[in-house]
Amino acid sequence: MSEKTSAISVRNVSITYKWIKAYSIKKNLLRLKKANNQVVEAVKNVSFEVPEGSILGIIGKNGSGKSTMLKAIAGVFSADEGEIDLHGHSVSLLSIGVGFQKELTGRENILLSGLLLGFEESYVREKMQEIIDFAEIGHFIDMPVRTYSSGMYSKLAFSITAILETDIMLVDEVLSVGDRKFKKKSFKKMEELISDSHRTVIIVSHSDASLRSLCQQVMWMHDGQIKKIGETNEVLDEYTEFMK
């Protein structure tokens, strides 16, 4: 059997943040001195391949670089070093707090999100009602997104990504948000989406059960680096033991 073609190639990627503590901004401005930036290395020289049609889980404690890595693959962040190659595939990121314009309504954000994903306006409008029905947020669809609860936000975000299908789906923790009924529905929809042998999925989650159920491989990130990547149960068992 021949090897699958890579859908995602991450090669020697490093990403750093620079930030200033809030209390020191005013102090530095008053002194008219340059503020001291603190540099945080979020991802450190990471390399891995994701074959087309595979489902990769990423696990690790908070601050390990999981979400940063996902956002870099989605193009939200740029790598300071190295490169990320999606081999011409379309990509969508499903993450709370990313992608919506807070002052626009849910309906307007559906259209904007679809256009940003590269779909034709006519196609997005054709899928609009299906997205709205799946989201189950009622009259809030015509209210500004800033009025939404985190559960409503995640429902709409998931619905857009689930209905407007891309080649690569990046999912960041949203399977654990929302009421029990919607969790069950979104999990079932995710299973349906990833059953497509041409769709590539990366799921960042703290849910051991979700990763064991959905993923073929898991990558364990720790302190911005890959600690282990391999068969799902093996990696998760080792991670669980490590976290005790």
Side-chain angles (χ1 to χ4, degrees):
M1 183 186 285
S2 60
E3 274 191 33
K4 284 189 175 181
T5 307
S6 286
I8 304 168
S9 298
V10 176
R11 305 183 186 105
N12 307 114
V13 166
S14 294
I15 302 168
T16 58
Y17 295 141
K18 292 179 183 176
W19 61 283
I20 308 168
K21 289 183 179 178
Y23 74 84
S24 68
I25 296 174
K26 183 178 179 182
K27 183 172 70 176
N28 279 286
L29 285 173
L30 289 173
R31 291 179 180 176
L32 299 176
K33 290 181 179 179
K34 185 178 179 182
N36 291 321
N37 290 335
Q38 184 168 346
V39 177
V40 178
E41 287 185 282
V43 175
K44 307 169 186 174
N45 195 32
V46 167
S47 298
F48 62 96
E49 299 280 332
V50 184
E52 184 179 298
S54 62
I55 304 104
L56 174 71
I58 304 181
I59 198 142
K61 65 180 185 178
N62 290 336
S64 61
K66 307 183 304 295
S67 293
T68 300
M69 190 70 256
L70 215 61
K71 287 172 183 173
I73 294 170
V76 176
F77 293 158
S78 295
D80 295 292
E81 294 178 13
E83 64 172 349
I84 297 169
D85 189 354
L86 302 184
H87 304 282
H89 294 96
S90 58
V91 62
S92 58
L93 171 64
L94 184 51
S95 175
I96 300 303
V98 175
F100 285 163
Q101 295 296 314
K102 298 290 198 300
E103 296 303 317
L104 298 182
T105 67
R107 192 183 298 272
E108 290 167 336
N109 270 292
I110 291 173
L111 183 58
L112 179 61
S113 297
L115 294 175
L116 290 173
L117 287 172
F119 293 104
E120 295 287 337
E121 181 180 344
S122 58
Y123 176 76
V124 181
R125 291 192 183 279
E126 180 187 316
K127 294 286 186 177
M128 180 81 72
Q129 195 57 49
E130 188 178 350
I131 294 168
I132 292 170
D133 291 344
F134 194 96
E136 298 178 350
I137 59 173
H139 68 278
F140 279 95
I141 196 66
D142 290 308
M143 294 180 68
V145 166
R146 60 177 166 75
T147 64
Y148 288 15
S149 66
S150 61
M152 290 162 56
Y153 196 108
S154 69
K155 284 181 174 183
L156 185 59
F158 184 89
S159 302
I160 291 170
T161 305
I163 306 303
L164 300 178
E165 302 173 18
T166 53
D167 302 326
I168 298 171
M169 289 178 64
L170 309 173
V171 184
D172 192 359
E173 289 294 355
V174 295
L175 289 176
S176 60
V177 181
D179 54 76
R180 184 177 295 182
K181 181 186 170 189
F182 193 81
K183 280 182 190 175
K184 188 175 180 181
K185 186 169 84 164
S186 61
F187 194 83
K188 184 179 178 183
K189 184 65 175 177
M190 181 58 67
E191 286 183 313
E192 178 190 316
L193 289 169
I194 65 180
S195 66
D196 184 332
S197 61
H198 296 292
R199 182 167 292 109
T200 306
V201 183
I202 299 182
I203 302 171
V204 166
S205 180
H206 287 292
S207 170
D208 187 283
S210 293
L211 294 179
R212 287 185 194 273
S213 175
L214 294 171
C215 302
Q216 297 155 342
Q217 279 201 318
V218 166
M219 182 169 80
W220 171 9
M221 290 193 72
H222 182 76
D223 195 25
Q225 297 176 308
I226 297 174
K227 192 168 180 71
K228 189 179 181 73
I229 185 168
E231 191 272 325
T232 297
N233 290 328
E234 181 186 334
V235 176
L236 289 177
D237 288 347
E238 196 170 320
Y239 174 74
T240 301
E241 190 64 32
F242 177 83
M243 293 298 287
K244 282 182 180 178

